[in-house]
C-alpha cells in the first residue's frame, strides 16, 4: 500500500478545517464544509484510528515564556535507534528526528525554564547508553512552527468563515502570560486530544466539573498552548522533510521568516544561538524541491548564507506522539512531565 495516496480530498479538507478551528464544534465545521456533522465526526474517527491525522496541543515554546532548545546528538556507531528509543521516553523531549549528517538525531526540548533543562533534561541525556555527545542551540525567537502551517485544501471563503468562527489564534497575540498553576493536568489531557472537553477532563482527573471547566478556560485564555491538527507527512503527499541551517543578519530575521512562509510547507522557522543563527524546516513533494527552495530563498534573501541542509530520514516522535516510519501516529503518547505542574 502506498501511504501517499491514502488521504482523499475530503480528508484533506477536514484536516485543513481542524487546523483553522481545532476546537470548533462539529456543527460549525459541518456547515462550512457542507457535510453533516455526524458524517464529519465519523470521518475524523476513521482518520484517528488509522493514525493518519490527530489532534494535539503542547506548550507553545516562545522564548519569552519558556525554554525552547534544539539539540544535535551524536551516537556510538550502530546505536542510533537504541538511543532514539531511550530519549523518546523523556517527557520534555517533544520531538525526535533522525538524520545522517554530522548528527544522528535532532531533539526539540521544551521546558518551563532553562533551569529545568539544566537540572533535569541534561542529566537524563548524560545517562543514555550509546549517546556519545550532544550540542545545544537555544531558540531566541520562534517565527513559525508546525502549528502555523496549514494544508491548501479549502476555498478562501471557507477559510475566512472558519477563522471568523474560531477567533484569533494564540500566535496572533503579541503578549504572552505565565502559564496558570493548573497548567500540567490540563496540558496532558489536551496533548492526548486537543478537543477534550471540560467534562472529560473532570472525569480523567477527578476534578469537580465546574473546577475543570474553570481551569480549562484559564489555560485556554493563557495562550500558552499551540493547538495542532497533525497529519502524516507521507499521507499528505510530502515524503521529503528537509531542514536548513543558515547565517543571517539579525535585523533580517523577521522579514526572512515572512518570505520563507510563501515558498512551501514551512514547519519550523526560528532564530537560534550557536554556529548558525537561523534555521527553517519544510515538508517537500520531492528531493528536487530542495534546490527549488534554495534558489528562491537566495533570490528573495540575498543576506541568507545557508551553511547546511539536512534531510530527515525518520521522525520517531513529534510533539509527544510516537510515529511509525511513514509519519503516522502510533498509540503511544509521552505526556509532559511534572515540571509543568
Amino acid at each position: 500500500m502506498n501511504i501517499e495516496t491514502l488521504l482523499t480530498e475530503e480528508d484533506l479538507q477536514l484536516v485543513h478545517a481542524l487546523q483553522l478551528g481545532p476546537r470548533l464544534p462539529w456543527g460549525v465545521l459541518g456547515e462550512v464544509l457542507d457535510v453533516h456533522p455526524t458524517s464529519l465526526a465519523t470521518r475524523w474517527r476513521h482518520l484517528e484510528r488509522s493514525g493518519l491525522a490527530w489532534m494535539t496541543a503542547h506548550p507553545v515554546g516562545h522564548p519569552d515564556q519558556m525554554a525552547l532548545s534544539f539539540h544535535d546528538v551524536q551516537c556510538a556507531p550502530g546505536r542510533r535507534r537504541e538511543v532514539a528509543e531511550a530519549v523518546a521516553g523523556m517527557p520534555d523531549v517533544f520531538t525526535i528526528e533522525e538524520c545522517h549528517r554530522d548528527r544522528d538525531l535532532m531533539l526539540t526540548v521544551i521546558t518551563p525554564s532553562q533551569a529545568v533543562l539544566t537540572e533535569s533534561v541534561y542529566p537524563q541525556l548524560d545517562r543514555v547508553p550509546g549517546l556519545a555527545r550532544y550540542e545545544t542551540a537555544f531558540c531566541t525567537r520562534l517565527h513559525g512552527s508546525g502549528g502555523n502551517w496549514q494544508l491548501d485544501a479549502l476555498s478562501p471563503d471557507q477559510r475566512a468563515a472558519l477563522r471568523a468562527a474560531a477567533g484569533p489564534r494564540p500566535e496572533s497575540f503579541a503578549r504572552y502570560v505565565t502559564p496558570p498553576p493548573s497548567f500540567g493536568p490540563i496540558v496532558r489531557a489536551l496533548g492526548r486530544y486537543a478537543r477534550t472537553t471540560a467534562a472529560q477532563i473532570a472525569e480523567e482527573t477527578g476534578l469537580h466539573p465546574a473546577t475543570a471547566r474553570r481551569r480549562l478556560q484559564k489555560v485556554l485564555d493563557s495562550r500558552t498552548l499551540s493547538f495542532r491538527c497533525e497529519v502524516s507527512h507521507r499521507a499528505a503527499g510530502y515524503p521529503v522533510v528537509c531542514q536548513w541551517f543558515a547565517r543571517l543578519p539579525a535585523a533580517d530575521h523577521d522579514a526572512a521568516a515572512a518570505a520563507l512562509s510563501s515558498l512551501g510547507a514551512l514547519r519550523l522557522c526560528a532564530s537560534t544561538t550557536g554556529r548558525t543563527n537561523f534555521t527553517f524546516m519544510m515538508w517537500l513533494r520531492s528531493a528536487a524541491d530542495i534546490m527549488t527552495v534554495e534558489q528562491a530563498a537566495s533570490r528573495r534573501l540575498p543576506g541568507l548564507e545557508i551553511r547546511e541542509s539536512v534531510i530527515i530520514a525518520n521522525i520517531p516522535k513529534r510533539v509527544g506522539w510516537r510515529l511509525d516510519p511513514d509519519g503516522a501516529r502510533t498509540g503511544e503518547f509521552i505526556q509532559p512531565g511534572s515540571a509543568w505542574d
Side-chain angles (χ1 to χ4, degrees):
M1 181 184 299
N2 184 356
I3 195 169
E4 294 178 30
T5 66
L6 288 180
L7 288 183
T8 66
E9 186 62 31
E10 290 77 13
D11 293 334
L12 295 172
Q13 289 175 353
L14 175 54
V15 170
H16 192 178
L18 286 167
Q19 288 175 330
L20 289 165
R23 290 182 61 84
L24 285 176
W26 292 118
V28 175
L29 294 167
E31 183 176 353
V32 174
L33 297 179
D34 195 24
V35 179
H36 192 279
T38 303
S39 299
L40 212 55
T42 300
R43 178 179 293 276
W44 174 250
R45 285 193 295 271
H46 171 73
L47 286 173
E48 272 196 310
R49 285 195 297 267
S50 69
L52 298 181
W54 61 98
M55 299 292 304
T56 189
H58 63 91
V60 76
H62 275 267
D64 60 347
Q65 200 177 21
M66 52 193 72
L68 172 60
S69 53
F70 307 110
H71 308 260
D72 290 343
V73 173
Q74 290 183 346
C75 305
R79 304 190 72 175
R80 184 177 65 248
R81 292 296 174 88
E82 176 188 346
V83 172
E85 281 298 313
V87 173
M90 298 180 186
D92 295 319
V93 177
F94 279 75
T95 297
I96 303 171
E97 290 143 343
E98 293 184 18
C99 44
H100 301 279
R101 292 284 296 178
D102 293 335
R103 77 276 288 167
D104 294 296
L105 303 172
M106 297 190 296
L107 314 180
T108 300
V109 175
I110 309 174
T111 53
S113 67
Q114 188 172 333
V116 174
L117 174 69
T118 302
E119 297 168 8
S120 177
V121 179
Y122 283 158
Q124 292 179 68
L125 292 174
D126 291 339
R127 292 192 294 268
V128 174
L131 196 160
R133 66 183 301 271
Y134 56 88
E135 183 176 308
T136 299
F138 289 94
C139 176
T140 55
R141 181 169 297 177
L142 183 63
H143 303 283
S145 68
N148 301 107
W149 174 75
Q150 297 164 8
L151 291 165
D152 186 21
L154 298 176
S155 70
D157 288 345
Q158 289 173 315
R159 298 181 199 190
L162 289 166
R163 289 192 182 103
R169 293 177 63 84
E171 293 84 357
S172 68
F173 289 89
R175 182 176 178 272
Y176 292 83
V177 298
T178 303
S182 53
F183 190 70
I186 304 297
V187 74
R188 293 185 191 103
L190 294 175
R192 285 189 296 272
Y193 184 49
R195 293 174 63 84
T196 298
T197 65
Q200 291 168 329
I201 291 173
E203 185 175 349
E204 289 181 23
T205 62
L207 292 172
H208 187 278
T211 302
R213 184 166 55 252
R214 185 171 60 253
R215 291 188 178 181
L216 172 61
Q217 194 58 52
K218 283 184 178 179
V219 170
L220 297 177
D221 291 342
S222 74
R223 307 185 294 278
T224 49
L225 290 182
S226 175
F227 287 83
R228 297 191 185 198
C229 180
E230 281 286 6
V231 63
S232 160
H233 59 283
R234 293 187 184 277
Y238 296 94
V240 177
V241 180
C242 186
Q243 183 163 349
W244 290 266
F245 298 86
R247 294 289 303 180
L248 184 69
D252 297 338
H253 285 209
D254 290 340
L260 290 169
S261 66
S262 65
L263 297 184
L266 186 67
R267 295 282 302 185
L268 171 69
C269 188
S271 302
T272 68
T273 62
R275 288 172 291 180
T276 57
N277 68 351
F278 190 77
T279 186
F280 58 100
M281 177 193 296
M282 290 187 180
W283 286 1
L284 304 169
R285 301 289 187 183
S286 71
D289 289 339
I290 296 174
M291 177 62 75
T292 302
V293 168
E294 292 179 356
Q295 289 174 334
S298 296
R299 287 194 297 269
R300 298 189 186 192
L301 306 166
L304 183 71
E305 180 187 349
I306 294 177
R307 297 284 182 86
E308 187 180 13
S309 59
V310 177
I311 291 181
I312 294 167
N314 186 33
I315 307 173
K317 183 181 183 182
R318 188 195 302 159
V319 287
W321 282 99
R322 299 297 307 272
L323 306 186
D324 69 16
D326 284 317
R329 187 189 74 169
T330 71
E332 185 178 2
F333 174 66
I334 312 299
Q335 63 184 16
S338 59
W340 295 100
D341 295 326

